[in-house]
Amino acid sequence: MPALADVVAALEALWPAGRAEPWDAVGTVCGDPDARVQRVLFAVDPVREVVAEAVESDADLLVTHHPLYLRGTSTVSAGTFKGRVVHTLIKNDVALHVAHTNADRADPGVSDALAGALGLRVTGPLVPDPDDPAGRRGLGRLGELDAPVTLREFADRAAASLPRTATGLRVAGDPAGQVRTAAVCGGSGDGLFDAVRAAGVDVYVTADLRHHPVSEAQQHAALAGEGRPYLIDAGHWATEWPWCEQAAAQLDAISDRNGWGLRTRVSRIVTDPWTTHSPAPAAPNGPSPGAPAPHASLAPTSPEQPA
């Protein structure tokens, strides 16, 4: 079995910490460099449920996309949920390693996995990394479908291909509009609208889209005449989860080359924070200005785990 230091060195080669955004917090959070590693669990979020899964599955290393302490801390007291995570990991000899924006920019990276899940052939990065002469690294990805489909069909494909969450997908655009080219960005992507417009794609798939950027993007699209790019907000966690399978496969390949015998696993716990979606019934003649919306039943849902 390899030492943690050996596995971390392999992970750093895949996703160098130096390629993370300056504000990011990536790398090894806890763990003994000399400890032996046999089982590795991949997940999006280092939350208590995932840490419990790591402990129950006898994992020696937990690799997550999201940092535990993105903004720093002055305490790891077990009285806080993040401190409790640290205590649980250390008590059970589980190391934690984070690959965040360095995995976003990688080749392949988070958006490559998202594009693959959507059936897109990647043609290049949405925002190329100026330090990559090959032009393969960068934020987001551009891609093409083998044949055009309607926006409705493409959205249905995305809903079927990505892990299910309570809120599902939000779509902006003509459902009958044709889609052949796409831009994707796993996680929050409304800061890349200028690049998306410049790319001239038919649809943009990302997450955490806010009202004003979406409204302005639609106005720009309407002014251009064809209403493109259409927009799909598929949820932050759901658009990043495919990376976990891609990352596990990458580490498997390294393990095979080195004869390490690692056993990798991808967490299937849905850590999207939203638990219920309760749309109000449609009014026959549309909403009345100033009228309160009808009460919607708050029946809880149990999101399905990733396929």
Side-chain angles (χ1 to χ4, degrees), residues 151-220:
L151 176 60
R152 185 187 300 279
E153 290 169 335
F154 184 76
D156 288 344
R157 175 185 299 183
S161 301
L162 297 175
R164 183 181 177 184
T165 61
T167 54
L169 277 64
R170 297 186 297 171
V171 183
D174 178 6
Q178 292 291 294
V179 170
R180 179 66 183 267
T181 59
V184 301
C185 179
S188 303
D190 63 16
L192 302 181
F193 275 141
D194 287 344
V196 172
R197 281 192 289 271
V201 295
D202 297 320
V203 65
Y204 180 37
V205 183
T206 186
D208 297 344
L209 293 180
R210 296 167 295 159
H211 175 90
H212 292 296
V214 170
S215 176
E216 291 173 4
Q218 287 182 308
Q219 294 298 309
H220 277 291

Side-chain angles (χ1 to χ4, degrees), residues 112 121-128 135-137 139-143 182 184:
D112 289 287
R121 178 175 59 85
V122 172
T123 58
L126 174 60
V127 181
R136 297 177 60 88
R137 294 197 309 265
L139 293 177
R141 290 295 183 268
L142 300 172
V184 301

Side-chain angles (χ1 to χ4, degrees), residues 79-255:
T80 65
F81 89 85
K82 292 186 178 184
R84 181 62 59 90
V85 162
V86 173
H87 279 250
T88 302
L89 290 168
I90 293 175
K91 283 182 178 179
N92 291 278
D93 296 319
V94 182
L96 173 62
H97 187 84
V98 173
H100 193 210
T101 54
N102 47 333
D104 289 331
R105 293 181 177 274
D107 172 36
V110 172
S111 292
D112 289 287
L114 174 56
L118 299 176
L120 295 167
R121 178 175 59 85
V122 172
T123 58
L126 174 60
V127 181
D129 186 337
D131 296 325
D132 177 22
R136 297 177 60 88
R137 294 197 309 265
L139 293 177
R141 290 295 183 268
L142 300 172
E144 296 179 347
L145 295 170
D146 290 335
V149 297
T150 66
L151 176 60
R152 185 187 300 279
E153 290 169 335
F154 184 76
D156 288 344
R157 175 185 299 183
S161 301
L162 297 175
R164 183 181 177 184
T165 61
T167 54
L169 277 64
R170 297 186 297 171
V171 183
D174 178 6
Q178 292 291 294
V179 170
R180 179 66 183 267
T181 59
V184 301
C185 179
S188 303
D190 63 16
L192 302 181
F193 275 141
D194 287 344
V196 172
R197 281 192 289 271
V201 295
D202 297 320
V203 65
Y204 180 37
V205 183
T206 186
D208 297 344
L209 293 180
R210 296 167 295 159
H211 175 90
H212 292 296
V214 170
S215 176
E216 291 173 4
Q218 287 182 308
Q219 294 298 309
H220 277 291
L223 190 62
E226 294 187 353
R228 291 181 175 84
Y230 306 132
L231 304 174
I232 296 180
D233 186 325
H236 196 121
W237 174 82
T239 57
E240 292 181 330
W241 185 85
W243 172 80
C244 296
E245 292 191 322
Q246 175 180 278
Q250 290 177 277
L251 184 57
D252 281 338
I254 294 171
S255 174

Side-chain angles (χ1 to χ4, degrees), residues 268-282:
R268 305 180 75 82
I269 296 175
V270 177
T271 55
D272 185 275
W274 302 107
T275 58
T276 304
H277 180 204
S278 302

